[in-house]
């Protein structure tokens, strides 16, 4: 039998049944194609590594994979959470929540991201605020939990401090321009240097994450910024000498730059009844005010008359700042328009009426008034209360390991649960039957009660000897 190819055709000669031979040849060709396809898919599947083991021990997490593990470790949304991202590695069989019986680690929540690139994410919930030290050792990624290196007070403080500048805006008042630099947390105290026609503001430990305003109002000629090491520096060029003032309030750094406003601009900003002649200025701004007294009043307390029709409430609040001599900070959510006519009233009464009309609250800081919506203030108070609760819960929680010699650990656990010793949402029990140990997390008082219970029930069964 001979196979020859002629004019793109296969010819079989010297064979009694060529059709059968040809069928066998085609069948062999199909099997060869399937084998090549299977090999190629197998090779492709091997291109992505997978996690092969996640091992937990006291204060240690060991992760193994069948290939390299480029990783990134960073803090989560609260002091008790750490995030581990492993690029180019799949989770494999580890796609369920992992509960820990080891000290320092409560649980691990795995998740996998496939776009734009494969990434395995492990959200690690710690028993307390801790520092994580990663290390690649013998092909494994080892995470060490160091509780002493990361006290709770440092965690809370660091989570509140600004790391980035998120907005830079200008706000005009009657006779000054306010440069507002807003951060994503509490702003640090800046270092301000003034010279002729120039102001330099150095802010430590922040980065620029916002665009500068395109329009520059008078008296600013130019504004620029640069980063040196961990400090952000703003340079402001002015159209003349200016005696600036600055202060920080929560997440804002406010720089007050005095300037002269035309009379027509004053009229547009506020229309004041002619029956009580007065100028829109800050007569008490230079008066000596005791900043230690939260309700200190500036000297300007004479009656005023106001007449507005469909005016912006923020413009009226800025006007009251000029009239009273107080600095007023307005929350971004304060919006609305109002029509009002007041004759011979104090600025305090006018402010109270506006606050009640728009469901606003005022908070006094020396000679500064902060105007906030009630809803936003309630959320702030709730956040502060929650933070205090987390702090208190963490400070009160202790861990102790008990060993049962005679009674079974399951019976001991059941006895603790029935006694209702554990504090709600704080206490927890972990049982290890292999070592006959029980780990209890709760307050020191509860742990003492558990110790007394174990002492009373962990006794050998009495036996009778019959001779």
């Amino acid at each position: 039998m001979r196979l020859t190819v002629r004019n793109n055709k296969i010819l079989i000669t010297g064979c009694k049944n060529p059709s059968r031979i040809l069928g066998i040849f085609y069948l062999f060709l199909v099997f060869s194609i399937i084998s090549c396809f299977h090999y190629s898919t197998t090779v492709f599947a091997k291109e992505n590594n997978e996690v092969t083991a996640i091992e937990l021990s006291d204060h240690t997490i060991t992760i193994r994979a069948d290939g390299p593990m480029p990783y990134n470790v960073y803090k989560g949304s609260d002091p008790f959470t750490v995030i581990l991202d492993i690029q180019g590695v799949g989770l494999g069989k580890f796609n369920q929540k992992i509960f820990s019986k080891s000290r320092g680690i409560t649980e691990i929540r795995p998740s996998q991201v496939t776009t734009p690139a494969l990434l395995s994410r492990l959200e690690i919930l710690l028993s307390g605020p801790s520092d994580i030290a990663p290390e690649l050792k013998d092909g494994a990624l080892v995470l060490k939990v160091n509780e002493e290196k990361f006290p709770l007070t440092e965690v809370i403080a660091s989570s509140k401090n600004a790391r980035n500048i998120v907005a830079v805006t200008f706000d005009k008042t009657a006779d000054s321009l306010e440069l507002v630099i807003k951060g994503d947390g509490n702003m640090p105290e800046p270092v301000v240097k003034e010279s002729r026609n120039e102001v330099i503001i150095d802010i430590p430990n922040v980065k620029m994450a916002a665009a500068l305003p395109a329009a520059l109002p008078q008296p600013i000629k130019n504004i620029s910024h640069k980063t040196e090491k961990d400090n952000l520096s703003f340079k402001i060029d002015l159209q003349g000498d200016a005696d600036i003032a600055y202060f920080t309030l929560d997440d804002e750094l406010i720089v007050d730059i005095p300037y002269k406003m035309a009379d027509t601009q004053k009229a547009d900003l506020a229309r004041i009844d002619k029956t009580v002649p007065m100028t829109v200025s800050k007569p008490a701004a230079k008066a000596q005010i005791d900043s230690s007294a939260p309700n200190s009043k500036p000297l300007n307390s004479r009656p005023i008359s106001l007449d507005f029709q469909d005016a912006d409430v923020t413009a009226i609040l800025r006007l009251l700042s000029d009239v009273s001599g107080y600095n007023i900070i307005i929350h971004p959510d304060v919006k609305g328009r109002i029509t009002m006519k007041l004759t011979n009233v104090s600025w305090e009464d006018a402010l109270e009426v506006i606050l009640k009309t728009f469901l606003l609250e005022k908070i006094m800081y020396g000679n500064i008034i902060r105007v906030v919506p009630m809803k936003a203030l309630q959320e702030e108070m709730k956040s502060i209360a929650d933070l205090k609760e987390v702090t208190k819960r963490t400070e009160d929680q202790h861990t102790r390991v008990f060993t049962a010699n005679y009674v079974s650990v399951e019976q001991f656990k059941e006895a603790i649960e029935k006694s209702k010793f554990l504090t709600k949402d704080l206490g927890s029990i972990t049982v290890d039957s292999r070592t006959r140990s029980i780990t209890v997390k709760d307050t020191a008082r509860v742990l003492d009660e558990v110790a007394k219970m174990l002492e009373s029930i962990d006794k050998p069964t009495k036996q009778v000897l019959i001779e």
Side-chain angles (χ1 to χ4, degrees):
M1 181 186 67
R2 184 192 310 171
L3 274 73
T4 57
V5 178
R6 186 178 299 169
N7 297 329
N8 297 327
K9 294 181 181 180
I10 300 175
L11 301 179
I12 301 176
T13 58
C15 180
K16 296 181 179 180
N17 194 354
S19 59
R20 182 179 179 184
I21 298 300
L22 188 61
I24 294 173
F25 174 77
Y26 281 126
L27 186 62
F28 173 76
L29 183 62
V30 169
F31 273 113
S32 300
I33 295 173
I34 293 175
S35 300
C36 292
F37 176 76
H38 175 71
Y39 174 77
S40 62
T41 54
T42 303
V43 172
F44 178 76
K46 295 276 185 186
E47 289 181 357
N48 292 326
N49 300 324
E50 288 187 349
V51 175
T52 58
I54 299 179
E55 302 168 359
L56 301 180
S57 58
D58 288 347
H59 303 97
T60 304
I61 304 172
T62 304
I63 302 169
R64 304 180 188 277
D66 54 8
M69 288 186 291
Y71 66 90
N72 183 28
V73 180
Y74 54 94
K75 288 292 178 182
S77 58
D78 59 72
F80 299 85
T81 306
V82 173
I83 308 296
L84 168 66
D85 287 344
I86 308 177
Q87 292 88 8
V89 176
L91 285 174
K93 64 180 181 180
F94 299 96
N95 52 11
Q96 301 293 328
K97 187 182 294 185
I98 302 173
F99 295 97
S100 170
K101 297 181 181 179
S102 305
R103 296 181 183 179
I105 306 157
T106 302
E107 65 182 30
I108 299 176
R109 302 168 187 166
S111 60
Q112 183 170 296
V113 179
T114 56
T115 56
L118 180 63
L119 180 143
S120 292
R121 175 164 295 166
L122 300 180
E123 185 177 356
I124 304 169
L125 184 61
L126 306 173
S127 301
S130 308
D131 185 29
I132 294 290
E135 179 186 7
L136 285 173
K137 186 177 181 181
D138 298 331
L141 176 58
V142 181
L143 303 179
K144 293 285 187 179
V145 181
N146 188 350
E147 295 179 342
E148 297 180 355
K149 190 178 178 182
F150 211 98
L152 177 64
T153 53
E154 292 183 9
V155 176
I156 296 176
S158 64
S159 63
K160 294 172 58 180
N161 293 337
R163 297 298 182 190
N164 299 287
I165 300 300
V166 297
V168 179
T169 58
F170 293 107
D171 189 12
K172 280 190 176 182
T173 63
D175 56 356
S176 68
L177 175 71
E178 290 181 348
L179 170 62
V180 182
I181 303 174
K182 184 178 180 63
D184 57 359
N186 288 344
M187 290 291 288
E189 191 67 21
V191 177
V192 179
K193 305 172 186 177
E194 298 182 51
S195 61
R196 182 177 178 83
N197 303 337
E198 184 180 278
V199 176
I200 297 177
I201 304 172
D202 292 330
I203 308 175
N205 301 322
V206 296
K207 296 180 180 179
M208 189 65 175
L212 295 175
L216 300 178
Q218 294 182 351
I220 293 181
K221 292 173 59 178
N222 185 40
I223 181 171
S224 59
H225 69 86
K226 64 179 181 179
T227 302
E228 295 180 354
K229 295 183 179 180
D230 292 331
N231 292 336
L232 178 63
S233 178
F234 286 90
K235 180 182 177 184
I236 305 172
D237 297 325
L238 304 173
Q239 295 177 355
D241 296 337
D243 185 15
I244 71 166
Y246 68 94
F247 59 93
T248 58
L249 182 61
D250 294 337
D251 59 347
E252 292 182 344
L253 167 62
I254 300 174
V255 182
D256 188 85
I257 306 171
Y259 77 111
K260 293 183 179 180
M261 179 183 284
D263 293 337
T264 55
Q265 291 176 302
K266 294 181 183 180
D268 292 337
L269 178 64
R271 290 177 292 164
I272 302 177
D273 196 333
K274 296 181 180 179
T275 57
V276 181
M278 60 184 297
T279 58
V280 180
S281 60
K282 290 186 179 178
K286 296 183 180 180
Q288 293 183 353
I289 301 173
D290 184 8
S291 59
S292 62
N295 294 322
S296 301
K297 292 185 178 181
L299 299 178
N300 185 14
S301 59
R302 60 181 178 178
I304 62 174
S305 295
L306 304 174
D307 185 4
F308 294 96
Q309 184 173 0
D310 193 28
D312 189 348
V313 64
T314 57
I316 300 175
L317 292 173
R318 291 203 304 267
L319 171 65
L320 293 179
S321 172
D322 298 321
V323 171
S324 65
Y326 275 98
N327 299 294
I328 292 184
I329 305 300
I330 304 172
H331 193 276
D333 291 342
V334 176
K335 298 176 183 178
R337 308 187 73 82
I338 188 174
T339 298
M340 61 186 297
K341 184 173 183 179
L342 302 175
T343 304
N344 292 341
V345 299
S346 65
W347 69 266
E348 295 97 330
D349 293 338
L351 177 61
E352 290 296 331
V353 170
I354 295 174
L355 296 179
K356 291 181 179 180
T357 302
F358 289 91
L359 299 177
L360 305 173
E361 288 286 347
K362 68 175 181 180
I363 306 172
M364 307 282 295
Y365 304 90
N367 67 334
I368 301 173
I369 299 175
R370 183 170 175 237
V371 179
V372 187
M374 288 185 181
K375 183 178 179 181
L377 182 60
Q378 291 172 355
E379 292 176 353
E380 290 180 8
M381 299 298 291
K382 184 178 182 302
S383 299
I384 295 173
D386 292 344
L387 184 59
K388 290 182 178 178
E389 180 66 20
V390 170
T391 305
K392 184 177 183 302
R393 284 163 56 89
T394 306
E395 290 174 348
D396 292 344
Q397 190 182 54
H398 301 273
T399 303
R400 192 181 301 177
V401 179
F402 300 92
T403 302
N405 296 317
Y406 303 102
V407 68
S408 69
V409 289
E410 288 77 11
Q411 291 176 341
F412 186 29
K413 178 182 178 183
E414 184 179 357
I416 296 174
E417 293 173 343
K418 288 183 177 180
S419 66
K420 298 182 179 179
F421 283 155
L422 298 182
T423 306
K424 185 179 180 181
D425 298 330
L426 180 64
S428 64
I429 306 175
T430 304
V431 174
D432 190 348
S433 302
R434 181 177 57 85
T435 60
R436 298 182 61 82
S437 63
I438 298 177
T439 303
V440 182
K441 296 180 181 180
D442 212 311
T443 62
R445 181 187 62 80
V446 172
L447 295 179
D448 291 340
E449 295 291 338
V450 173
K452 292 178 182 177
M453 174 183 289
L454 178 61
E455 184 179 355
S456 64
I457 67 175
D458 190 30
K459 295 180 180 179
T461 303
K462 293 183 179 180
Q463 298 179 356
V464 177
L465 177 63
I466 301 176
E467 294 182 354

